[in-house]
């Protein structure tokens, strides 16, 4: 089949359950120019080079042909994931001051006990059931609760985030459809509503320091200064969305993969100390972020012998790079004990995932609790129904039959 239809086939919902053969085709083609003038890249070494190349921008506004995806909303500037240095670095540093080392070195580790308690509570609530949905009953509520606690969002408001965040994710979905304008409109409205809500929570904390990053943003500025009110709104929305729409897929893809590999499930039940390595393998083998659609060439750039012209969109298929046989031994094999595993699950370079330490411990705790406590779990449907997005890929539901819940 012709190269210019590859991206259509990758985004085609019919291929959502198993896009990996398409990625193998992509790697064979090197760089694949699509009919709309964008370029798909799928080999490990090309992706790594582009992620570290300052001639490659994360700011969509550098595109010569706009892609119709709304990055700005009235009163809310582009968040730092969509900006280049030095502006990206300044905003990322301000956010990091309240999230990790050196200033907030213990914030994430200190959440270990709380995350375990949330996971246990969710599993306790399944007692008496013989059928569960891993997504609705566990993998979705866990990260939403965790990110709301991390930011310091009042608990009673947590349910509001599901509808907002679903609208936002639909807005960045590049799958061609009948009414993209309507999806964009709904995404912008959700972004504004969420931004105002989070901005108000932060305002209420001003001068009254308490737990959570929103309070820290307004009460504890670091060496890079503080956010303006609009910057705070955009950053808080970014953290909230990035913080759970990805983790839900890591947990669900993880459980699905373990159920498809019963020997791995058994091994992890016997030796839960292997879980950190198994989570790294899941990030390589079934990554929640399959591709990065927002890079743009700032000048003509040569990639694998092809000149990508200035202003052209570059789509980096991370999930393909992480299955490249030129980089990983036996890449289509799930090996929870794999050692040499420098995957692209969290990206690479200056934009590499800000929340990786949190995502890692959430997934480790979640999968340890699920493998330990679900008795005789069995997949009801394989493949399960998938969510629409080809970027943030994972099952919409994962129905399981279980024989009970262990204490
Ligand atoms: C399994 C869970 C997660 C996965 C697979 C994931 C994956 C990624 C990837 C691939 C990127 C790179 C984007 C790019 O280069 O354009 C990224 C960036 C980012 N992630 Fe995550 N992420 C996860 C969880 C989280 C969590 C829990 C948070 C917040 C607490 C978070 C916050 C961010 C932010 C703010 C960025 C932008 C970084 C920058 O532009 O400098 N992520 N993530």
């Amino acid at each position: 089949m012709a190269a210019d239809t590859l991206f259509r086939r990758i985004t085609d919902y019919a291929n959502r359950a198993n896009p990996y053969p398409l990625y193998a085709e992509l790697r064979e083609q090197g760089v694949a120019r699509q009919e709309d003038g964008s370029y798909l890249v799928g080999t490990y070494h090309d992706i790594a080079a582009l992620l570290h190349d300052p001639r490659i921008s994360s700011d969509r506004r550098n595109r010569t042909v706009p892609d119709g995806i709304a990055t700005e909303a009235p009163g809310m500037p582009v968040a730092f994931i969509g900006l280049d240095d030095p502006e990206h670095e300044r905003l990322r540093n301000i956010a990091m001051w309240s999230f990790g080392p050196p200033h907030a070195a213990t914030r994430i580790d200190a959440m270990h006990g709380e995350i375990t308690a949330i996971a246990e509570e969710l599993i306790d609530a399944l007692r008496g059931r013989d059928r569960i949905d891993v997504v609705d009953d566990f993998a979705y509520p866990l990260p939403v609760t965790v990110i709301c606690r991390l930011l310091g969002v009042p608990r009673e408001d947590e349910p509001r985030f599901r509808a907002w965040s679903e609208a936002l994710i639909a807005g960045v979905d590049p799958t061609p459809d009948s009414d993209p304008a309507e999806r964009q409109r709904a995404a912008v409205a959700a972004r504004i509503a969420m931004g105002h809500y989070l901005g108000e929570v932060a305002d209420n904390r001003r001068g009254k320091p308490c737990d959570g990053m929103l309070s820290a943003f307004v009460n504890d500025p670091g060496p890079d200064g503080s956010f303006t009110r609009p910057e705070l709104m955009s950053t808080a929305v970014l953290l909230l969305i990035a913080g759970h729409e990805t983790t839900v897929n890591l947990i669900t893809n993880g459980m699905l993969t373990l159920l498809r590999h019963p020997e791995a499930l058994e091994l992890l039940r016997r030796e839960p100390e292997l879980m950190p390595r198994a989570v790294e393998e899941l990030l390589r083998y079934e990554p929640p972020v399959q591709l990065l659609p927002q890079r743009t060439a700032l000048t003509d750039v040569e990639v694998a012998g092809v000149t990508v012209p200035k202003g052209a969109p570059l789509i980096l298929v991370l999930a393909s790079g992480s299955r490249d046989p030129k980089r990983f031994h036996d890449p289509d094999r799930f090996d929870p004990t794999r050692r040499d595993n420098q995957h692209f699950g969290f990206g690479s370079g200056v934009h590499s995932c800000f929340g990786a330490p949190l995502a890692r411990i959430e997934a480790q705790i979640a999968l340890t609790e699920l493998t330990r406590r679900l008795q005789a779990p069995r997949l009801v449907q394989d493949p399960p129904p998938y969510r629409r997005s080809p970027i943030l890929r994972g099952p919409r539901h994962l129905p399981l039959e279980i024989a009970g819940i262990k204490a």
Side-chain angles (χ1 to χ4, degrees), residues 203-251:
D203 287 345
N204 291 334
R205 306 274 196 262
R206 206 177 285 276
K208 292 176 269 180
C210 60
D211 280 352
M213 286 176 73
L214 291 172
S215 167
F217 286 163
V218 291
N219 294 309
D220 182 16
D224 293 274
S226 20
F227 293 125
T228 62
R229 176 63 153 64
E231 286 168 355
L232 185 146
M233 287 162 61
S234 293
T235 305
V237 170
L238 168 63
L239 292 175
L240 222 139
I241 299 298
H244 74 265
E245 289 295 346
T246 45
T247 312
V248 58
N249 289 337
L250 181 56
I251 297 170

Side-chain angles (χ1 to χ4, degrees), residues 51 58 80-81 88 92 99 147 150 238-239 242-243 246-247 250 283 288-289 292 294-295 318 344-347 350-356 358-359 362:
L51 286 173
S58 281
F80 64 82
I81 195 169
H88 157 263
R92 180 171 165 132
F99 182 80
I147 194 75
L150 176 74
L238 168 63
L239 292 175
T246 45
T247 312
L250 181 56
L283 284 157
V289 180
L292 299 177
Q294 78 274 31
R295 295 304 199 272
L318 300 179
F344 287 136
F346 290 125
V350 293
H351 287 276
S352 71
C353 181
F354 175 96
L358 176 60
E362 274 186 75

Side-chain angles (χ1 to χ4, degrees), residues 37-226:
S38 61
Y39 290 77
L40 281 185
V41 184
T43 61
Y44 187 89
H45 293 292
D46 288 329
I47 294 173
L50 291 167
L51 286 173
H52 289 88
D53 188 335
R55 297 172 303 167
I56 304 302
S57 169
S58 281
D59 189 336
R60 286 195 140 94
R61 292 167 299 183
N62 288 313
R63 292 189 169 175
T64 40
V65 183
D67 56 12
I69 292 187
T71 46
E72 279 169 288
M76 288 185 64
V78 177
F80 64 82
I81 195 169
L83 295 173
D84 298 327
D85 287 348
E87 198 52 3
H88 157 263
E89 188 183 18
R90 179 181 72 82
L91 294 166
R92 180 171 165 132
N93 285 347
I94 295 176
M96 191 50 96
W97 183 250
S98 309
F99 182 80
H103 183 63
T106 55
R107 189 185 290 278
I108 298 307
D109 276 352
M111 290 189 81
H112 204 283
E114 194 174 1
I115 298 171
T116 307
I118 301 166
E120 281 180 351
E121 213 174 285
L122 288 166
I123 297 184
D124 286 343
L126 302 175
R127 287 216 173 91
R129 303 251 303 264
D130 52 16
R131 202 176 157 131
I132 64 166
D133 176 8
V134 174
V135 178
D136 284 349
D137 292 327
F138 186 81
Y140 188 82
L142 178 75
V144 182
T145 312
V146 171
I147 194 75
C148 285
R149 304 262 170 98
L150 176 74
L151 288 174
V153 168
R155 284 186 200 185
E156 62 276 16
D157 292 337
E158 288 170 6
R160 300 168 72 173
F161 288 99
R162 185 161 201 164
W164 282 336
S165 88
E166 279 182 359
L168 265 167
I169 298 304
V172 292
D173 185 343
T175 313
D177 73 356
S178 54
D179 198 358
E182 174 50 29
R183 272 196 290 132
Q184 290 303 312
R185 198 202 50 75
V188 169
R191 197 152 170 253
I192 293 173
M194 208 188 243
H196 280 292
Y197 170 84
L198 293 165
E200 273 163 33
V201 174
D203 287 345
N204 291 334
R205 306 274 196 262
R206 206 177 285 276
K208 292 176 269 180
C210 60
D211 280 352
M213 286 176 73
L214 291 172
S215 167
F217 286 163
V218 291
N219 294 309
D220 182 16
D224 293 274
S226 20

Side-chain angles (χ1 to χ4, degrees), residues 336-352:
T337 65
R338 191 182 288 271
R339 279 174 186 278
D340 174 26
N341 205 352
Q342 200 81 38
H343 56 73
F344 287 136
F346 290 125
S348 186
V350 293
H351 287 276
S352 71

